[in-house]
Amino acid sequence: MLAALLVRSKTSFSFALAELRKRKIEATIVDAAAVHSLHHLEMAAELAKKSLADGTAVSARLEMEFLLWLGQSSHVEEAIRRAGAKDGEAAWLVLFDEERREGDEKIKQLAGELKLEIMKEEEKQKTYPRALHFWRVKNENLLFEQMALCRIRN
């Protein structure tokens, strides 16, 4: 389970990511253009948790393993280039292992502490269609298949 919020940085995502790491919070920030839906984020999280549990993970940290799956790569630099948050662009703040009801309040508080602007609900719908074009697929099922197969290709 995860909680996610569409955000924009008032300064730099680098500060927010460094703060998450410093506070040892299992959370990350990813490029909204790379995300098709909340289900997409949940699938990447499940693949990351599974690979950590069965010893096939590339990274030892959940948030980095999540980025690798979301970025469809086994190479950190490539995953960051593809799915890492970009300053000035919309992004998803993702908080892992939270029940939705509790996670929603916790993630809103976290966004404020990280100086991230929470975007309006209607802006979320504008970001979703971009991901299919971004990943060069026609539908969500093909996107998930491509993500699941990315470790075989790399």
Side-chain angles (χ1 to χ4, degrees):
M1 201 56 126
L2 59 82
L5 266 182
L6 190 62
V7 297
R8 217 180 248 122
S9 178
K10 295 177 184 176
T11 55
S12 165
F13 285 121
S14 299
F15 163 79
L17 288 164
E19 190 64 20
L20 289 172
R21 190 100 197 263
K22 181 174 128 184
R23 292 168 54 182
K24 296 182 170 76
I25 298 173
E26 282 194 322
T28 193
I29 305 167
V30 296
D31 186 2
V35 177
H36 177 65
S37 64
L38 201 51
H39 189 96
H40 186 195
L41 291 171
E42 289 168 343
M43 182 168 179
E46 288 305 312
L47 288 167
K49 288 175 188 174
K50 181 184 178 305
S51 61
L52 285 165
D54 67 19
T56 60
V58 174
S59 175
R61 294 187 1 248
L62 175 60
E63 57 275 15
M64 183 52 69
E65 190 65 16
F66 168 81
L67 184 64
L68 288 164
W69 281 106
L70 188 68
Q72 300 182 15
S73 180
S74 57
H75 306 284
V76 173
E77 286 180 13
E78 187 173 356
I80 291 170
R81 183 180 52 77
R82 288 179 176 174
K86 291 156 184 70
D87 291 336
E89 299 291 327
W92 284 96
L93 172 61
V94 180
L95 181 61
F96 299 102
D97 293 325
E98 294 296 327
E99 291 299 320
R100 270 195 214 272
R101 194 173 304 129
E102 292 175 19
D104 286 348
E105 289 309 310
K106 203 171 189 179
I107 199 167
K108 286 176 185 173
Q109 180 182 348
L110 182 60
E113 292 169 3
L114 297 173
K115 298 175 178 52
L116 299 174
E117 172 190 347
I118 300 171
M119 296 175 67
K120 294 179 181 154
E121 193 64 29
E122 56 269 12
E123 291 176 293
K124 192 184 298 183
Q125 299 307 318
K126 294 176 189 173
T127 66
Y128 287 158
R130 292 176 28 200
L132 295 179
H133 177 72
F134 182 87
W135 293 113
R136 296 183 177 104
V137 294
K138 292 182 181 177
N139 62 52
E140 187 175 56
N141 290 336
L142 291 173
L143 174 62
F144 294 160
E145 183 178 311
Q146 184 173 302
M147 185 168 53
L149 294 172
C150 73
R151 295 283 173 96
I152 295 169
R153 286 191 314 234
N154 293 324

